Amino acid sequence: MSEWGRLDGDGVLDDVAAALIDSAGKVIAWSAAAADLTNCSAHEVCGRWLDEFLAEGNSGNLPASGTLRLRRLGSDAVAVHYRVLPLESCGNRLFLAVRVDVSKRFEQGSALIRALLAQDQIGFIIRRGTDLAVESANVFPGMSFCPIGSTLAEVMSPQDARSVEKELRAVLATGEPQVAREGRVRPLIEPASEWSFLVSAVRLEDRHGKPAGVTILLTDATERWRSARRTELQHRAAAGIGDTLNVATTAQQITDVLVPDFADLVTVDLAEPVLVGDEPPRTFGGGDLYLYRAAMCCIDELDTSGLLSVGERVPSLPDLPLVRQFQVGHTVVLDQAQVKQGLGDPGMIRLLIPDRARSLAVAPLFARGVILGTIAAWRTDRTEPFNTADADLLTEIAAHAALSVDNARRYTREHRAAVSLQQSLLPKATSRTSAIETVGSYVPASGTAGVSGDWFDTIQLPSLRVALVIGDVIGHGLPAAATMGRLRTAVHTLADLELPPDEVLARLDELVARLAAEADPAHRDVVGATCLYALYDPITRECTMASAGHPPPLLMRQDGIAHPLSLDPGPPLGVGGLPFEAATVLLEPGSTLCLYTDGLLMRQSKDLDTAIQHLARDLTEAATTTNSLEDMSRTLTPDPAASPESDDAALLLARIRALRSDTTAEWHFSAEPASVAKARTAATTQLADWGLETLAFTTELIISELVTNAIRYAGGPIRLRLIRDTTLVCEVSDPSNTHPRLRHARLTDEGGRGLFLVAQLSHRWGSRYGASGKTIWAEQQFSPTE
């Protein structure tokens, strides 16, 4: 414990040596302090001359005060400050002396206390007693909440008083000083203000070494604290605003950053077009500013039940100077009275001004010369009103926030355009035929990357066959959506050629390689896609599929358990140089085929195999609760608003249907002229059984031409097949790979009119090739009543 902690009046008197001297210079009385100082008792000194104890000089010539040296028994002389006081009534003198070192210490302590009490830069408070009441105090200008005799609870808020008293009593109990601790208090006489101090506290002790109080030194750090708080708020705003490209989320981030450190209530109002990605209107003055409340945040104890809610439209504002000020980019600071006077309308006041409002700061979200919206910050009676420094801070935060809002707006516009393009290029979600029922779904990315070109397709082919396609284009945004559109068109073209799945992917691979070659060199590495192409024949119930770097489909048979199919994937489209392998699986009626993109897998797990197993489990569970493909699709593709993802997801569910056995008829003929008549007769008989006698004449002509051509140019065996569905399909197969050509015969030509006649009699016609030979088909439409 430092000696400065025991500076009190009793201690000073304890160290003063006193002697009573008569007019002749003899000692009459000798104090205990004098005995301690000279090592001579009063019995030894009284009656002797005082000069015997002076190291130099004599008592008769001593000045009234000064410095001299006193002899000490058995020790060196000691320097003392002395004073001689004459006693007028008896002629005696009182000699008082204090050791020089002790005197200097008390003089320095006294000077220190006087200096601390006299200056106005460092607060100095002495608190004594059990209640730590103020005994002495000197505080800097503006800090007038420490009157003499006041306790902590009488000058500061209850919460602050409890915290400060706990710390001071710890110093009082332990003797451990508190050094330069930062603390903030709210005085009761000025509840709207908050002070920050650097506090040092030292225990005071009485002459017996017992705790007697606390000395407190305060340094005003309020401005530094406010400056640091503003800097920290700027950093948090820079880090916390704009890390998303969602307009509404960015608006909410603005309010979350500013409450409670800057304001008690913050609202962000945005122009209606900004919320959907469009340019805001250019307005000036009052009226309808087309603003909607986009976000709001407040302290817990503030009631906002009567205020304008998020999603509601801001009413028309009067043509006030403050409106025009923030419309040209200035931050405006007003008190409650000014805001009420400007609004005028009591209903608008209740809608826009919170309870206990004290001060308002309004900053525009100003970007590229237009107003995107406004930030309104309110302080209630708990905090001090906004000042110029606060307005400057809000201006800086609003400038950064405006760029973030504008970036989110522009992204929203591009994302909306890309999603619109993507969805316009996708087929309708559902399709139902006699052979298959399909439901497709597409979930666009909601992260910063944007749409990435996922697509699905169901292509109806001749003879009730169906092509199922799922794909994922590399890249994001409009370029990916455009590439997806080109690939989907190419797939339709190749599917119409009725090529096998592995050959379709080979042709697509060549197309993607050409697209990459046409692209800018810097972007060639990101031109590519994965694709799965499956071809289902409902008559044979065989599904042949091939994959270009795409995950395998899931098959859920009638037992309700889904599992991935074994399929060797080839390289992604655009790699080139490697073949694609096809695999064939026999599908049972009622089974479900599930095709998907990796965006759906990433919602399951980062590990591909694990994600596929999870998806199969989810499909199995979904099938236990519903038999609807639409419900299953909704279960497997979560709402993007509730579960934002950075990648698109596409899903195609296909349920296999069984054809009745009486919907097809098939015959085989040898390559001889008599087979033409036999084929006509067989077909006419079958049409009569189906009730399609009205198609008998045209069907006979078609069969005659196709069978005749097969006999003439291909040889046998020849297969004739009729398929009855919503159309009548007539197929003639032969072992030749010669491509049939439609041509116009001249008047003098004896042949060459067969295929032309077939084309005229049928709704559409075409050909396809198998492992050996080809099939020429022709479709005829008929009324459902036939």
Side-chain angles (χ1 to χ4, degrees):
M1 179 66 187
S2 170
E3 293 294 331
W4 299 114
R6 291 194 291 269
L7 295 179
D8 53 66
D10 293 341
V12 172
L13 296 178
D14 286 345
D15 290 324
V16 175
L20 184 61
I21 306 168
D22 62 14
S23 58
K26 289 184 178 181
V27 177
I28 301 174
W30 192 251
S31 70
D36 291 338
L37 185 62
T38 59
N39 295 330
C40 294
S41 64
H43 177 72
E44 294 174 316
V45 174
C46 289
R48 297 173 60 181
W49 301 99
L50 179 61
D51 292 348
E52 296 179 30
F53 299 94
L54 300 180
E56 63 273 329
N58 58 78
S59 59
N61 297 325
L62 288 178
S65 63
T67 302
L68 53 75
R69 299 171 67 215
L70 289 179
R71 291 189 177 94
R72 303 176 68 191
L73 182 63
S75 182
D76 295 334
V78 59
V80 297
H81 287 302
Y82 73 92
R83 177 168 294 183
V84 178
L85 300 176
L87 301 177
E88 298 179 357
S89 60
C90 60
N92 296 333
R93 291 175 295 169
L94 181 63
F95 178 83
L96 302 175
V98 179
R99 290 179 50 158
V100 169
D101 55 347
V102 174
S103 175
K104 285 183 177 179
R105 187 177 73 240
F106 281 107
E107 287 178 1
Q108 290 171 353
S110 177
L112 174 61
I113 293 175
R114 287 196 303 271
L116 289 174
L117 291 174
Q119 58 79 49
D120 59 2
Q121 298 298 315
I122 301 175
F124 177 66
I125 304 172
I126 296 178
R127 290 184 175 272
R128 288 183 179 271
T130 57
D131 57 357
L132 294 176
V134 176
E135 180 180 89
S136 301
N138 172 57
V139 292
F140 23 78
M143 181 182 160
S144 56
F145 50 86
C146 288
I148 302 300
S150 62
T151 62
L152 294 168
E154 295 172 342
V155 297
M156 61 184 66
S157 67
Q159 181 180 357
D160 294 339
R162 287 192 296 270
S163 175
V164 174
E165 183 171 354
K166 180 180 179 182
E167 294 173 356
L168 293 184
R169 291 199 179 279
V171 173
L172 194 62
T174 64
E176 291 291 331
Q178 184 182 94
V179 181
R181 187 196 66 82
E182 185 175 1
R184 289 184 291 276
V185 296
R186 287 160 291 184
L188 290 179
I189 62 174
E190 298 179 73
S193 64
E194 190 171 8
W195 289 73
S196 178
F197 302 106
L198 290 179
V199 182
S200 296
V202 180
R203 183 173 73 180
L204 294 177
E205 298 176 353
D206 61 18
R207 65 178 180 273
H208 304 294
K210 295 181 179 180
V214 179
T215 297
I216 305 167
L217 294 177
L218 303 175
T219 303
D220 185 7
T222 304
E223 196 54 43
R224 186 181 69 178
W225 164 65
R226 290 173 180 167
S227 176
R229 188 175 63 171
R230 287 193 291 267
T231 301
E232 180 186 359
L233 192 59
Q234 284 177 305
H235 291 164
R236 282 197 287 114
I241 300 175
D243 61 351
T244 175
L245 290 176
N246 181 280
V247 174
T249 303
T250 302
Q252 189 62 49
Q253 287 175 338
I254 297 172
T255 63
D256 293 343
V257 164
L258 295 176
V259 175
D261 290 341
F262 184 77
D264 300 321
L265 169 69
V266 176
T267 61
V268 174
D269 301 327
L270 296 177
E272 180 182 5
V274 173
L275 295 171
V276 294
D278 294 331
E279 287 278 351
R282 296 180 181 269
T283 58
F284 191 72
D288 189 356
L289 303 183
Y290 307 100
L291 295 175
Y292 276 79
R293 182 136 297 173
M296 179 168 64
C297 183
C298 68
I299 57 176
D300 294 337
E301 56 266 32
L302 192 62
D303 182 15
T304 60
S305 57
L307 296 178
L308 191 73
S309 300
V310 173
E312 294 183 337
R313 188 164 188 166
V314 177
S316 297
L317 298 176
D319 192 4
L320 301 173
L322 72 93
V323 175
R324 293 176 176 266
Q325 278 185 281
F326 73 68
Q327 284 176 337
V328 295
H330 298 305
T331 297
V332 180
V333 174
L334 301 168
D335 59 28
Q336 183 196 54
Q338 291 173 310
V339 179
K340 287 184 176 180
Q341 182 181 2
L343 293 177
D345 181 16
M348 189 177 296
I349 290 174
R350 288 192 299 271
L351 200 61
L352 298 180
I353 302 179
D355 292 340
R356 308 191 314 273
R358 179 181 178 88
S359 181
L360 167 68
V362 182
L365 292 169
F366 200 71
R368 298 178 298 102
V370 294
I371 298 294
L372 305 176
T374 62
I375 303 175
W378 290 93
R379 285 181 177 172
T380 65
D381 52 7
R382 293 188 322 104
T383 53
E384 59 189 356
F386 292 109
N387 54 30
T388 303
D390 294 325
D392 293 340
L393 174 61
L394 185 59
T395 300
E396 293 182 21
I397 293 176
H400 168 73
L403 292 177
S404 299
V405 170
D406 194 47
N407 288 338
R409 178 196 66 80
R410 297 166 77 173
Y411 167 77
T412 300
R413 180 181 61 187
E414 181 178 339
H415 184 266
R416 185 183 63 185
V419 170
S420 178
L421 174 62
Q422 178 91 341
Q423 292 177 338
S424 68
L425 294 173
L426 291 173
K428 62 180 182 179
T430 61
S431 67
R432 289 177 176 85
T433 68
S434 302
I436 200 168
E437 174 190 1
T438 64
V439 171
S441 58
Y442 167 73
V443 181
S446 54
T448 59
V451 295
S452 58
D454 290 19
W455 91 92
F456 64 88
D457 219 334
T458 302
I459 306 173
Q460 305 298 330
L461 297 176
S463 305
L464 301 185
R465 299 187 309 152
V466 181
L468 304 174
V469 188
I470 195 87
D472 185 358
V473 173
I474 296 175
H476 299 278
L478 288 173
T483 300
M484 181 274 288
R486 300 173 74 173
L487 290 181
R488 181 168 180 257
T489 302
V491 170
H492 272 261
T493 302
L494 295 171
D496 287 341
L497 294 177
E498 301 191 69
L499 300 174
D502 53 339
E503 190 169 346
V504 169
L505 294 183
R507 300 284 183 89
L508 281 178
D509 184 54
E510 295 174 0
L511 171 62
V512 174
R514 287 198 298 271
L515 294 178
E518 295 171 2
D520 185 277
H523 301 123
R524 287 178 182 173
D525 291 341
V526 295
V527 176
T530 65
C531 183
L532 176 69
Y533 187 92
L535 182 62
Y536 172 62
D537 188 337
I539 297 176
T540 63
R541 294 193 288 113
E542 290 181 341
C543 182
T544 303
M545 59 193 72
S547 170
H550 207 82
L554 304 177
L555 176 62
M556 183 171 64
R557 301 186 187 274
Q558 291 183 336
D559 60 4
I561 299 176
H563 60 85
L565 292 174
S566 177
L567 182 63
D568 292 331
L573 298 177
V575 174
L578 296 174
F580 299 96
E581 295 186 14
T584 301
V585 61
L586 187 66
L587 299 181
E588 302 172 356
S591 59
T592 301
L593 201 61
C594 174
L595 284 66
Y596 52 89
T597 61
D598 60 358
L600 194 62
L601 292 180
M602 292 304 102
R603 289 168 165 83
Q604 304 284 343
S605 172
K606 298 302 180 182
D607 179 71
L608 181 61
D609 293 336
T610 303
I612 292 175
Q613 294 299 328
H614 286 174
L615 182 60
R617 179 201 60 197
D618 293 345
L619 178 59
T620 300
E621 292 177 355
T624 61
T625 59
T626 179
N627 194 45
S628 167
L629 292 183
E630 289 86 351
D631 292 342
M632 291 183 190
S633 179
R634 281 191 289 269
T635 301
L636 296 177
T637 54
D639 182 5
S643 177
E645 296 291 340
S646 60
D647 195 11
D648 294 15
L651 175 70
L652 181 61
L653 296 177
R655 177 166 293 153
I656 305 305
R657 290 181 170 181
L659 293 178
R660 296 202 321 264
S661 58
D662 61 352
T663 59
T664 63
E666 184 176 323
W667 304 270
H668 292 83
F669 303 101
S670 59
E672 56 185 12
S675 296
V676 177
K678 294 178 182 178
R680 287 200 303 265
T681 301
T684 302
T685 303
Q686 185 63 57
L687 291 179
D689 291 342
W690 285 342
L692 298 177
E693 292 88 346
T694 57
L695 298 180
F697 178 71
T698 55
T699 303
E700 284 187 85
L701 290 177
I702 292 172
I703 290 175
S704 294
E705 293 299 332
L706 295 181
V707 172
T708 299
N709 284 344
I711 294 172
R712 180 177 300 174
Y713 300 111
I718 299 170
R719 187 190 68 171
L720 170 63
R721 185 168 68 176
L722 296 180
I723 305 172
R724 182 186 187 278
D725 190 54
T726 56
T727 62
L728 177 65
V729 181
C730 176
E731 296 181 345
V732 175
S733 302
D734 61 55
S736 173
N737 289 323
T738 304
H739 182 69
R741 289 189 305 139
L742 179 66
R743 64 186 181 89
H744 294 277
R746 291 173 294 183
L747 293 176
T748 58
D749 290 342
E750 295 183 359
R753 297 176 179 85
L755 288 181
F756 180 77
L757 182 61
V758 171
Q760 294 299 312
L761 294 174
S762 61
H763 171 63
R764 62 173 183 162
W765 74 281
S767 63
R768 63 177 178 270
Y769 295 87
S772 62
K774 68 179 181 295
T775 298
I776 301 177
W777 54 268
E779 288 185 3
Q780 298 178 78
Q781 293 180 323
F782 60 87
S783 172
T785 59
E786 294 183 82

